[in-house]
Amino acid sequence: MNFYELSDKVFKYSFGNPINTEAVVTKGEKVKNEALRYFNIDDTEGMRFTYKMTKEQVVWGLGENLKGMNKRGGIYDSFCSDDPRHTPDKKSLYGAHNFLVVDGKETFGVFIDYPGKVIFDIGFSEESSLIIAIEEKDVEVYIITGEKPLEIVREFLSIIGEGYAPPKWAFGYQQSRWSYPNEESVREVAKKFIENNIPCDAIYLDIDYMERFKDFTIDQKAFPEFKTFAKEMKDKGFRLIPIIDAGVKIEKDYDIYEEGLENNYFCQDEEGKAFMAAVWPGRCHFPDFLNPQVRTWFGLKYKVLTDLGIEGFWNDMNEPALFYTERGLKEAVSLAKVSENENLDIYSFFKLKDSFNNMSNSLEDYKSFYHNINGDKINHYKVHNLYGYNMTRAAGEGLNLIDSSKRFLLLSRASYIGMHRYGGIWTGDNHSWWEHLLLNIKMMPSLNMCGFLYIGADTGGFGGDTNHELITRWTQFSIFTPLFRNHAAMGTRKQEPFSFEEETIKNLRNTLELRYALIPYIYSEYMKSLKNKDMYFKPLSFEYTDDFSKRVENQLLLGASLMITPIYEENSLGRYVYLPEDMVLWKVKNYQERIYEILKGGHHYIDVGLNEVPIFLRKDKAFILGKHSKNVDSLNNEELKVIAFVENETTYVYYDDDGTTKDYKTGTHEEVIINIKKCGEDDFAIEIKNKGNTKVRVLNLEIIDTNGRVHKKILSVET
Ligand code: GLC
């Protein structure tokens, strides 16, 4: 084992001959050996790291995963999986995010940098043991020390590199469905948004926009004039976001297929032939994204679509999903050759049944193909979790070559730690189940811990049918997630906001308008989290140190100033909330009406009508509210509201930038720093500093004092 010191808080232990995943960007100094802190190691079979937990310790992290925010009591397989049924018994979803923080009297973080399967048994097999197991002996383990979970997370975020910033328009509402298959259907969706006065920034194109599901092609019958059409839609205020899948269709004369084959750009089977498996297009080959040359080749293909006016993409099926291989099909078909009157014993019956059920995404198939990593032939199974990460990296690097100054929207389904530098993620094929709304809430801070900030779920649920209540409650939560997209599967009930009855449409419109009015705050908090290596969503206990906060799994801190308490249960017209301190409650029906109520610290039941979004403002904090518009490009934020709850003093830093270029990376941005200090009963001293060239001209202050009185002031911003 080699030991490296990355900083006085971050330590790397390198075992065997690990594969460089490029998750961590900080290189450390190699120093003398030392024992792996906190863990006992058993290397008789693979590697097994064990830590004895005390009863009071909470375990946070693991990014996109099932179960609670506190991961104790669960067993999780870190192995990117295309499994659309996210039921509580499942162990893996689409991402592999091997970072967790043990929080208690002894507090530390651990990141297992290993690109194959990792099992996290967190008090599942043995209540007091945290056991991390891998099948091999080549692994890098990072231990991060610090007093508090947030401090540890921020150390971790600083070693994995700055995250991805989408363009500002990507903070608008986005509408998707599998599929809007042709120009007419997309036009119709746009028309309904306009007619119903519902804001929206983007419409997604699912696989049917392609010709026979071939990446970087367009079905000419469905979209005969794609470039003109994309412009027509943009002029109306909607950007189009096409999907790109990992599998490349095997079809003679299809350029991507031909070039990939000719240059050996595809993953190879045991015999050195391009590995073949079927996905949507039928039989496909799979680009070897772990090879930098292949990444450049594939990444530059996005130009086919950027040349047509496209500014955003979603990369899908990149675990990679494999519907079947020749091997799997052959096995199933041979077993199926039984005669109707055969009396199958239970073993042969289940074998037959399972041979079809297990045909997709089988381990045997994942073990049957290879990558070329710096000339070495590496079995896919060993590096499985790097595939989606590197597909999206290919896109990110490609888009950077295509236009180095422009920010593109980029999403991925599969991911590994480090991918946050290139794009965001959506949380895959959830269902229109209330349980999945709650899961969505719980996942958000865990993903932030792993660097992923541009995140969100398929609002309303992907599989199954939503109803008016679920879409309303889910939308009321998703207005706070940076990625805010409503997406549904083929064959399910329509779930665009205008697909419901008048009252629901009205509630959804009001909720979306609130989102747009909150964009100045959401964007400011997003960009500050990115720049300052911070979390946008936090569990309560990452800021409040009282014992009860650690137990709260269904409320989140949002940015510097707010706490949200979503309704996630059917038929609920209210919920229990826990307040670690006095806070202001604003139940938003319509953001233009603001009635504030002070709730004392402690436990409360609050009524929340189906037409209300509860927002809590923390003590000595402030947030910003703008006005809605039909889309982000047409927001006018020259006049902003500053809503503050002041007992003593608060400072809010409002961040903004051009929202389209990468100039923010070199420090080009605007800041308005607002300081409000209570000086007497009705007297507040207000100081406004303007750094950079802010577009804000007027600030309308609403200062709520501890008696619940609102003091209004209008101030102009000096330039
Ligand atoms: C996958 C994606 C889903 C998409 C579908 C068809 O299931 O996760 O979002 O709609 O494929 O492309």
Side-chain angles (χ1 to χ4, degrees), residues 210-280:
M210 295 185 245
E211 181 190 79
R212 295 187 290 284
F213 307 128
K214 291 185 298 184
D215 282 338
F216 311 112
T217 68
I218 287 160
D219 182 336
Q220 294 301 319
K221 272 206 217 85
F223 294 90
E225 296 288 342
F226 192 84
K227 191 171 181 175
T228 318
F229 180 63
K231 176 156 188 324
E232 174 196 324
M233 294 310 294
K234 191 169 173 191
D235 291 344
K236 287 184 185 161
F238 304 89
R239 279 158 168 107
L240 301 179
I241 317 292
I243 196 168
I244 302 291
D245 282 343
V248 171
K249 184 173 176 65
I250 301 181
E251 188 182 278
K252 202 165 164 12
D253 296 333
Y254 166 36
D255 55 347
I256 317 279
Y257 159 74
E258 296 285 359
E259 287 169 27
L261 210 57
E262 191 180 315
N263 296 297
N264 280 330
Y265 284 163
F266 296 127
C267 295
Q268 300 190 338
D269 64 17
E270 194 69 60
E271 289 149 25
K273 292 203 298 281
F275 167 73
M276 188 166 77
V279 212
W280 305 119

Side-chain angles (χ1 to χ4, degrees), residues 312-574:
F313 299 91
W314 47 316
N315 284 345
D316 193 20
M317 307 296 276
N318 51 7
E319 294 70 30
L322 310 176
F323 289 170
Y324 64 87
T325 57
E326 228 170 54
R327 181 208 58 78
L329 189 63
K330 202 163 147 192
E331 192 178 300
V333 168
S334 76
L335 281 166
K337 283 186 188 142
V338 286
S339 71
E340 312 77 275
N341 44 24
E342 198 153 327
N343 184 2
L344 297 174
D345 62 31
I346 51 164
Y347 304 105
S348 20
F349 166 69
F350 282 108
K351 195 167 175 205
L352 173 64
K353 196 167 168 236
D354 291 348
S355 66
F356 283 93
N357 284 343
N358 301 336
M359 207 174 358
S360 298
N361 308 322
S362 93
L363 280 189
E364 206 173 331
D365 291 333
Y366 285 135
K367 286 179 179 169
S368 75
F369 65 97
Y370 296 84
H371 297 269
N372 173 353
I373 303 183
N374 304 324
D376 290 335
K377 186 175 161 188
I378 307 286
N379 188 277
H380 173 79
Y381 179 71
K382 286 175 188 264
V383 288
H384 174 75
N385 290 337
L386 297 183
Y387 194 76
Y389 161 23
N390 280 289
M391 176 188 183
T392 299
R393 181 174 178 182
E397 289 171 341
L399 291 168
N400 197 38
L401 290 173
I402 293 163
D403 188 341
S404 61
S405 64
K406 189 181 169 84
R407 294 193 223 170
F408 289 90
L409 167 63
L410 185 56
L411 296 179
S412 184
R413 195 171 70 175
S415 56
Y416 184 79
I417 283 178
M419 203 211 79
H420 70 292
R421 302 194 294 267
Y422 305 97
I425 56 176
W426 87 99
T427 56
D429 297 347
N430 60 7
H431 271 69
S432 298
W433 296 340
W434 288 90
E435 291 80 356
H436 280 182
L437 167 53
L438 180 58
L439 188 61
N440 181 185
I441 297 166
K442 293 183 185 197
M443 256 185 218
M444 296 292 106
S446 314
L447 275 165
N448 280 183
M449 286 175 67
C450 297
F452 294 93
L453 284 173
Y454 193 65
I455 50 174
D458 286 352
T459 300
F462 174 74
D465 294 325
T466 195
N467 71 1
H468 74 283
E469 190 190 0
L470 180 58
I471 190 71
T472 304
R473 291 307 192 190
W474 209 321
T475 306
Q476 289 170 347
F477 170 65
S478 292
I479 58 164
F480 300 109
T481 62
L483 163 65
F484 177 21
R485 182 181 79 148
N486 170 325
H487 179 49
M490 183 171 275
T492 60
R493 176 184 191 171
K494 291 224 159 78
Q495 66 181 40
E496 298 81 6
F498 46 74
S499 311
F500 298 86
E501 288 177 17
E502 204 39 55
E503 197 179 326
T504 303
I505 297 178
K506 185 174 163 220
N507 289 342
L508 292 172
R509 183 189 301 113
N510 282 337
T511 309
L512 262 69
E513 288 180 357
L514 171 62
R515 160 65 171 222
Y516 279 78
L518 280 171
I519 282 179
Y521 176 74
I522 290 175
Y523 187 71
S524 169
E525 291 308 309
Y526 183 95
M527 291 304 292
K528 284 189 293 177
S529 305
L530 188 92
K531 304 282 304 162
N532 304 337
K533 312 281 183 287
D534 206 342
M535 292 166 69
Y536 169 94
F537 283 123
K538 293 185 194 101
L540 264 53
S541 69
F542 278 34
E543 297 227 356
Y544 293 100
T545 50
D546 60 284
D547 284 343
F548 198 86
S549 282
K550 267 195 191 167
R551 299 197 213 165
V552 181
E553 293 246 343
N554 53 12
Q555 305 176 196
L556 302 176
L557 298 178
L558 195 185
S561 314
L562 302 179
M563 178 177 84
I564 55 168
T565 59
I567 304 288
Y568 53 85
E569 276 177 336
E570 197 161 16
N571 303 324
S572 292
L573 287 172

